[in-house]
């Protein structure tokens, strides 16, 4: 099972349009997920709303509910570099929680936290980008593997205080958004569930966000990111009953414990990501 999370409705709709066999799944606390298949893989899709705290809470809920083999956050982001084109895809090779710091009478000093994604997922994403045939349109957007900054404010200006702070303290971040830090922390806290952020550039964070939004770049960028996630899903192991042999894919292991006579066997496989089945065999009859 693959879990995909988004923040906005336009992002959720982009992924939902690429899923098949979708049905509603309601968590006991009321959170609604769409469960179906993405690229032939079992997948659960959820929307968290904006902000790292919401992303962390719903991501934790999704991991507990579905025991996924991997989790992906997808959606849109603001670009922090002039060489980024609207519609480009950024895969986060590092996520900064950039609002951490220490303030006293002498000023503010950054105290960031940062998370790197799953090595296997990142390598699979790089392989897909090199192949270049993952897109749904005739012109495949460019894919960049760069750090992403996730904070608690919308950044829309190159000379604002927030923009200057990002440039001074997080100079390698090429995109900014508001959820991936909470999402990445959840993956880390759950025995390192493989986690990856995939974002489409919907504006340049340069004061013209409203203009880009009115031109429907959010839908374009969200769709490009969803196309890449669909290709990623096709290569991720962990689907029920699947066996993956390619080295670029996340491996699936099957363990069988057999109890005979009056013996009892419990779970002996350590941490489990994905489905876990316990069955009882009927006693063999002898003629």
């Amino acid at each position: 099972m693959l879990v995909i999370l988004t923040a906005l409705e336009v992002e959720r709709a982009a992924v939902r349009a690429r899923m098949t066999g979708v049905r509603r799944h309601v968590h006991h606390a009321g959170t609604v997920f769409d469960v179906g298949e993405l690229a032939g893989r079992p997948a659960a899709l959820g929307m968290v709303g904006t902000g790292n705290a919401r992303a962390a809470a719903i991501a934790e809920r999704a991991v507990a509910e579905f025991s996924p083999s991997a989790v992906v956050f997808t959606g849109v982001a603001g670009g922090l570099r002039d060489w980024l084109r609207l519609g480009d895809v950024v895969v986060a090779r590092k996520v900064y929680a950039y609002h951490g710091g220490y303030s006293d009478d002498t000023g503010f000093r950054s105290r960031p936290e940062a998370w790197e994604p799953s090595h296997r997922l990142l390598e699979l994403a790089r392989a897909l980008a090199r192949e270049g045939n993952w897109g749904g349109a005739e012109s495949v957007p460019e894919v960049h593997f760069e750090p992403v900054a996730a904070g608690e404010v919308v950044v829309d200006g190159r000379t604002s205080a927030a923009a200057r702070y990002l440039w001074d303290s997080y100079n390698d971040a090429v995109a900014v958004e508001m959820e991936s830090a909470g999402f990445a922390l959840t993956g880390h806290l759950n025995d390192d569930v493989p986690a990856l952020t995939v974002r489409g550039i919907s504006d340049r964070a340069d004061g013209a966000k409203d203009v880009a939004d009115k031109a429907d770049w959010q839908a374009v960028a969200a769709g490009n990111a969803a196309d890449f996630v669909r290709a990623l899903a096709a290569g991720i192991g962990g689907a029920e009953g699947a066996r993956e042999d390619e080295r670029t894919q996340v491996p699936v292991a099957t363990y069988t414990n057999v109890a005979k006579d009056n013996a009892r066997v419990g779970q002996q496989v350590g941490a489990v990501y994905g489905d876990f089945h316990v069955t009882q065999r009927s006693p063999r009859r002898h003629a």
Side-chain angles (χ1 to χ4, degrees):
M1 172 69 77
L2 172 67
V3 163
I4 305 146
L5 298 176
T6 68
L8 306 175
E9 178 58 36
V10 65
E11 301 164 342
R12 187 206 68 84
V15 179
R16 171 64 179 79
R18 290 156 176 80
M19 295 175 66
T20 58
V22 177
R23 65 186 186 279
R24 185 190 305 173
H25 177 98
V26 182
H27 183 270
H28 68 82
T31 304
V32 176
F33 296 90
D34 290 322
V35 175
E37 289 190 350
L38 182 65
R41 304 294 192 190
L45 169 65
M47 190 171 74
V48 307
T50 57
N52 288 297
R54 290 184 176 91
I58 301 303
E60 179 70 30
R61 181 165 291 178
V63 169
E65 184 78 353
F66 299 107
S67 298
S69 57
V71 290
V72 177
F73 206 104
T74 187
V76 302
L80 298 175
R81 294 292 187 275
D82 290 336
W83 46 261
L84 282 172
R85 297 174 299 180
L86 295 183
D88 278 1
V89 173
V90 175
V91 178
R93 61 176 178 83
K94 183 192 300 181
V95 174
Y96 288 119
Y98 70 84
H99 271 126
Y102 180 85
S103 179
D104 61 17
D105 292 339
T106 64
F108 182 84
R109 283 168 291 283
S110 178
R111 290 184 176 179
E113 289 191 88
W115 297 270
E116 293 185 355
S118 158
H119 174 70
R120 289 185 182 276
L121 289 186
L122 188 61
E123 285 295 289
L124 175 58
R126 290 185 187 277
L128 290 172
R130 285 193 294 266
E131 291 166 5
N133 57 359
W134 56 267
E138 293 183 4
S139 178
V140 178
E142 191 168 350
V143 183
H144 308 275
F145 294 84
E146 300 288 350
V148 169
E152 303 301 330
V153 299
V154 175
V155 178
D156 185 25
R158 293 293 177 87
T159 61
S160 67
R164 291 196 303 270
Y165 172 60
L166 285 170
W167 179 254
D168 290 339
S169 301
Y170 303 89
N171 190 254
D172 57 343
V174 307
V176 61
E177 36 98 336
M178 299 175 63
E179 293 82 30
S180 288
F183 165 77
L185 175 61
T186 298
H188 171 70
L189 293 179
N190 281 276
D191 292 323
D192 291 318
V193 172
L196 188 68
T197 288
V198 178
R199 297 280 184 164
I201 300 300
S202 61
D203 65 85
R204 302 183 188 278
D206 59 356
K209 183 180 184 325
D210 287 345
V211 175
D213 289 353
K214 288 179 181 177
D216 215 22
W217 276 107
Q218 279 197 338
V220 173
N224 290 345
D227 280 339
F228 194 82
V229 171
R230 176 173 57 187
L232 195 67
I236 293 176
E240 185 174 347
R243 297 237 174 227
E244 304 299 344
D245 296 324
E246 296 182 18
R247 293 188 179 186
T248 58
Q249 297 173 333
V250 179
V252 180
T254 300
Y255 300 86
T256 302
N257 295 315
V258 179
K260 296 181 179 180
D261 301 323
N262 292 323
R264 297 284 191 276
V265 176
Q267 178 183 336
Q268 296 179 340
V269 295
V272 176
Y273 304 122
D275 295 331
F276 178 72
H277 301 281
V278 177
T279 60
Q280 181 176 354
R281 294 181 180 176
S282 300
R284 184 177 296 176
R285 296 183 180 275
H286 300 278

